[in-house]
């Protein structure tokens, strides 16, 4: 199995931005109404 490379950083207003190994933004997570997270953007590649 391959190791997933990339990282996540905290963004504005409680969001979390997700980046691939090359630094390209691949998605964003936002807090949901009841504390869950909602993923926006492209799905992470396997």
């Amino acid at each position: 199995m391959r190791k997933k490379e990339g990282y996540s950083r905290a963004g504005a207003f409680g969001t979390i931005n997700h980046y691939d190994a090359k630094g390209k933004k691949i998605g964003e997570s936002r807090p949901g109404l009841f504390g869950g997270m909602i993923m926006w953007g492209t799905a992470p590649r396997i």
Side-chain angles (χ1 to χ4, degrees), residues 6 8 22 27 40 42:
S8 300
K22 295 181 181 179
W40 297 92
T42 59

Side-chain angles (χ1 to χ4, degrees), residues 8-12 14-18 27-31 37 39:
S8 300
R9 283 191 165 168
T15 62
I16 299 174
N17 296 320
H18 306 284
E28 181 178 286
S29 298
R30 298 180 184 168
M37 293 298 281
M39 180 72 176

